[in-house]
């Protein structure tokens, strides 16, 4: 014999009920078919009861819609020849239900006994209609009311199954029955006094388990709308996958911590009998689902699932008057128990100074009042503090039988959460070590589940979520590089990079599923108005794990927001030099935030575009080397200009060409005035461990005063034409000395300077071509022959590749 239970979503409409018929038609064994009420009906019956007891006549509308739904389903499922008989029965049951609700309306209240009777009609009607449908389809089926079989008695105010009488009833009935299919309503039972009772929400699972255990069934099948128990909630974690095989104990832990496909008490009746349970999908019957048996764990598997319970509140009883006083815990839990408040998590300090419990947030007001009342004497005398609840919390749990023999799981769990700025309020671990639980803010649940799932289940594939500000020349190249390299990165570096938000100076666009990089320009055009503060707010609201803010602008305003991103554990990658060359206090503060919140702050492209200059410098310092001197050509734009300027060209035309080809900043005076190079040598000096300000750097300008004082590009370029003789004299002087003009930055003995120099033949800078950069690091290990880094130091492509490299560095942290 097999027992099959189909939940509310499986019997939600005629189309789904037909699917059930097709599934069970293939079974050769005798079947007990336990069904729930049609999807959503139980909630509507409870609503009708509440409205009626509040003397709100709108209960009649709810009742009318329920009746119409059941009559319509009957008409769609059954042939005309038997419709009238079944419709008459359904209408008769609704007449009785109407009488019950009228009673609640007239007396203005609803008792637990009356409520049980009202909600029982959901399962009674669905099971009756389904049984008649199966019979009409020529299946060997019959209807059996579970209230005739399952008997309950009251214990501590709750309906508890009397298994002695129930098991005897089951054996007697099914021994006499020769029907292949018996359709039974789930959820409902009868008290020893003969009144309708219920087995609690999710009780249809329990009903099926009661039948399976009483009859020593071969298997208990729970049919629902998902293909088994998953490694995490698939609605929150898209990468979650079905667990093929799991133990009873693991299933109980996962179901207790919110895995909705199985009602926790379900396992109890079948556990002692060793009857297997399988979770199957009504809408994908060929999927394997999850098999639940006695302890059975795949070799090497530790964490089997991650689950959570939402809507949690914490109550903390604490005070010096608790230390060494016997009975405090007893009084605390007794008060909660007497008020019918269930405790879902307990933790106590070893000092006995405090006890903390997690309860449903729905019970928090009642709990606070009764606990403060119970300990009023101690509170008044200052021995115990008044209980103040913490709300808007959730419990996240790792579950697995083999966790107890595996070291480091707790550390791995808490480290993963910490890296993603998920604050842990309370930690609890059962003595069995089968689960590790922690309480976090409810708003962080999705991020926590995804981060933990990625850590424990996703074969080391790490998802990075990017929020990109600035999609002009550099930004567009960066997005194209991501688009073309995504597959390679996922397959070879185990990195899944998604762009979630983008913005230019006019509009911004977000997509939590990831922006399609084939048409991002069109989406951005249609986006909402750009707003730096709103952009940050949306990043925090989306609250994704492994979030990275990418700044491709040259905006000082944008650079002031880095601290807010870092303090929310959002990494920052930028080619914008303003933040790192701002006041040393701000630079130092950003570096400190990055360390404190474990959020990398990377700016490799601040110096040398895509060249690994800063990264190399960091490695030198970290390995114990000391920087003695730095000499460098750090402006790709200036190198391009002076490599192309000669007696046959004009300085104006060469600078214009550099601007048009993307080598200079939008305002080329930033490059030609030396400000850009000053920022770069300042950053290198600071990264070498020196405390310097931009004003400490000596700037030897080569531009005429008039050019430096211009306020717009038009006037600047006009001044270059006017002073062409000045630039030609600079070129002639270098040519006559058999030298080349290079704009050089230098840091030596704590002092820094920038300026145009005539570089003679044989110098490392002499043959520097195009827009290349070069850096010479003289260190204690390289005192005479410097460590040289040389290559392309300007251009959108190489700058974008440097930003991309920083993203990959974060992915490999």
């Amino acid at each position: 014999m097999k027992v099959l239970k189909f939940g509310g979503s499986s019997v939600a409409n005629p189309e789904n009920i037909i699917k059930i018929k097709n599934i069970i038609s293939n079974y050769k064994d005798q079947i007990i078919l336990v069904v729930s009420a049609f999807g959503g009906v139980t909630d509507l019956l409870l609503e009708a009861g509440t409205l009626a007891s509040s003397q709100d006549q709108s209960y009649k509308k709810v009742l009318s819609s329920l009746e119409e739904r059941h009559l319509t389903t009957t008409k769609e499922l059954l042939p005309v020849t038997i419709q009238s008989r079944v419709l008459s029965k359904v209408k008769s049951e609704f007449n009785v239900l109407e009488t019950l609700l009228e009673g609640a309306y007239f007396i203005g209240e609803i008792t637990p006994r009356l409520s049980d009777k009202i909600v029982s009609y959901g399962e009674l009607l669905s099971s009756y209609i389904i049984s008649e449908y199966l019979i009409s389809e020529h299946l060997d089926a019959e209807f059996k009311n579970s209230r005739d079989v399952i008997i309950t008695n009251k214990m501590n105010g709750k309906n508890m199954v009397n298994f002695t009488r129930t098991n005897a009833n089951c054996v007697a009935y099914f021994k006499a029955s020769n029907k292949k299919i018996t359709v039974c309503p789930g959820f409902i039972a009868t008290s020893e006094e003969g009144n309708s009772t219920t087995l609690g929400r999710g009780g249809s699972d329990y009903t099926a388990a009661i039948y399976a255990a009483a009859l020593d069934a071969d298997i208990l099948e729970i049919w629902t709308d998902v293909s088994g128990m998953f490694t995490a909630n698939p609605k929150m974690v898209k990468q979650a996958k079905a667990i093929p095989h799991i133990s009873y104990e693991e299933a109980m832990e996962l179901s207790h911590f919110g895995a909705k496909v199985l009602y926790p008490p379900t396992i109890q009746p079948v556990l002692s009998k060793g009857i297997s349970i399988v979770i199957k999908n009504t809408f994908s019957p060929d999927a394997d689902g999850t098999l639940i048996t006695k302890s059975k764990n795949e070799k090497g598997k530790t964490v089997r699932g991650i689950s959570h319970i939402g809507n949690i509140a914490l109550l903390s009883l604490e005070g010096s008057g608790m230390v060494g006083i016997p009975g405090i815990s007893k009084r605390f839990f007794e008060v909660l128990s007497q008020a019918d408040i269930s405790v879902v998590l307990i933790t106590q300090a070893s000092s006995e100074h405090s006890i903390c419990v997690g309860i449903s947030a729905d019970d928090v007001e009642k709990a606070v009042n009764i606990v403060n009342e119970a300990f009023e004497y101690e509170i008044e005398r200052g021995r115990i503090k008044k209980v103040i609840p913490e709300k808007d919390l959730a419990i996240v749990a790792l579950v697995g039988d083999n966790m107890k023999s595996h070291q480091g799981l707790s550390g791995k769990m808490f480290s993963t959460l910490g890296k993603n700025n998920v604050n842990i309020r309370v930690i609890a671990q059962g003595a069995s070590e089968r689960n590790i639980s922690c309480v976090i803010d409810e708003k962080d649940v999705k991020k926590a589940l995804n981060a933990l799932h990625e850590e424990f289940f996703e074969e080391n594939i790490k998802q990075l979520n990017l929020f990109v500000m600035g999609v002009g020349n550099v930004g567009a190249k960066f997005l194209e590089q991501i688009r073309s390299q995504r597959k390679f990165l996922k397959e070879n570096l185990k990195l899944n990079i998604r762009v979630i938000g983008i913005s230019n100076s006019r509009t911004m666009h977000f997509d939590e599923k990831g922006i399609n990089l084939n048409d991002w320009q069109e989406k951005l055009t249609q986006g909402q108005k750009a707003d730096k503060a709103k952009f940050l707010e949306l990043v925090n609201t989306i609250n994704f794990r492994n979030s990275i803010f990418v700044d491709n602008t040259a905006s000082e305003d944008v650079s002031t927001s880095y601290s807010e991103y870092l303090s929310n554990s959002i990494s920052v990658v930028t080619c914008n030099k303003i933040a790192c060359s701002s006041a040393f206090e701000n630079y130092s503060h950003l570096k400190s935030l990055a360390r404190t919140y474990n959020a990398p702050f990377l700016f490799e492209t601040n110096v040398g575009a895509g060249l690994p200059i800063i990264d190399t410098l960091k490695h030198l310092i970290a390995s114990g080397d000391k920087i003695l001197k730095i000499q460098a050509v750090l402006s790709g734009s200036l190198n391009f200009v002076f490599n192309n300027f000669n007696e046959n060209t004009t300085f104006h035309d060469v600078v214009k060409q550099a601007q048009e080809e993307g080598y200079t900043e939008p305002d080329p005076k930033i490059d030609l005035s030396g400000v850009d190079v000053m920022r770069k040598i300042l950053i290198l000096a600071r990264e070498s461990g020196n405390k310097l300000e931009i004003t400490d750097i000596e700037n030897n300008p080569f531009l005429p005063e008039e050019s430096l004082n211009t306020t717009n590009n038009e006037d600047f370029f006009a001044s270059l034409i006017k002073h062409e003789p000045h630039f030609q004299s600079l070129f002639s002087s270098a040519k006559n000395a058999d030298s080349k003009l290079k704009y050089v930055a230098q840091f030596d003995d704590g002092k820094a300077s920038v300026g145009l120099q005539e570089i003679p033949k044989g110098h490392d800078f002499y043959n520097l071509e195009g827009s290349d950069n070069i850096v010479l690091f003289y260190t204690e290990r390289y005192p005479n022959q410097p460590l040289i880094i040389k290559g392309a130091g300007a251009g959108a492509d190489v700058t974008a590749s440097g930003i991309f490299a920083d993203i990959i560095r974060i992915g490999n942290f």
Side-chain angles (χ1 to χ4, degrees), residues 1 236 290 299 308 310 362-363 395 435 496 512 522 674 693 716 760:
M1 174 178 282
M236 288 191 168
T290 297
K299 188 175 181 181
H308 81 285
D362 297 335
D363 296 325
I395 299 172
N435 83 69
N496 179 22
E512 292 188 30
E522 180 183 346
E693 300 289 356
F716 176 72

Side-chain angles (χ1 to χ4, degrees), residues 89-104:
K89 172 70 173 173
V90 172
K91 288 179 180 178
S92 174
E93 295 292 349
F94 269 98
N95 289 337
V96 177
L97 181 56
E98 183 178 19
T99 301
L100 295 173
L101 289 167
E102 282 178 351

Side-chain angles (χ1 to χ4, degrees), residues 420-563:
N420 287 280
N421 199 32
V422 177
N423 186 32
I424 298 171
R425 313 292 287 274
V426 170
I427 299 168
Q429 183 168 3
S432 68
E433 299 184 48
R434 191 171 284 118
N435 83 69
I436 306 170
S437 309
C438 65
V439 178
I440 64 173
D441 287 339
E442 188 131 36
K443 66 180 177 62
D444 289 328
V445 165
K446 185 174 181 180
K447 177 165 69 172
L449 291 177
N450 278 276
L452 292 171
H453 195 274
E454 180 179 84
E455 184 68 37
F456 289 101
F457 290 103
E458 294 178 30
E459 298 177 353
N460 297 322
I461 292 180
K462 188 174 186 178
Q463 185 180 101
L464 303 179
N465 296 293
L466 310 188
F467 299 87
V468 182
M469 188 167 285
V471 287
N473 201 11
V474 172
K477 297 288 186 182
F478 170 63
L479 294 179
E480 173 56 27
Q481 289 176 12
I482 292 176
R483 188 197 66 79
S484 63
Q485 286 295 102
R486 280 190 66 185
K487 185 178 179 182
F488 174 86
L489 293 174
K490 195 167 185 178
E491 291 177 355
N492 294 274
L493 298 184
K494 303 299 183 184
L495 293 177
N496 179 22
I497 297 180
R498 305 190 310 165
V499 178
I500 307 300
I502 53 175
S503 177
N504 58 24
S505 59
R506 298 175 301 280
T507 56
M508 59 186 189
H509 171 67
F510 284 78
D511 187 339
E512 292 188 30
K513 296 179 181 178
I515 295 170
N516 186 336
L517 296 183
N518 291 312
D519 62 355
W520 65 267
Q521 294 97 332
E522 180 183 346
K523 290 288 184 358
L524 184 58
T525 302
Q526 300 166 359
Q528 58 184 300
K529 184 179 179 181
D531 184 318
K532 185 192 75 166
K534 183 68 174 176
F535 192 92
L536 172 62
E537 181 186 329
L538 287 170
V539 174
N540 284 325
T541 300
I542 290 171
N543 200 21
F544 276 159
R545 70 195 187 282
N546 304 328
S547 291
I548 304 172
F549 173 65
V550 183
D551 178 16
N552 296 318
T553 75
S555 166
E556 182 175 0
D557 189 39
V558 174
S559 73
T560 60
S561 65
Y562 295 171
S563 61

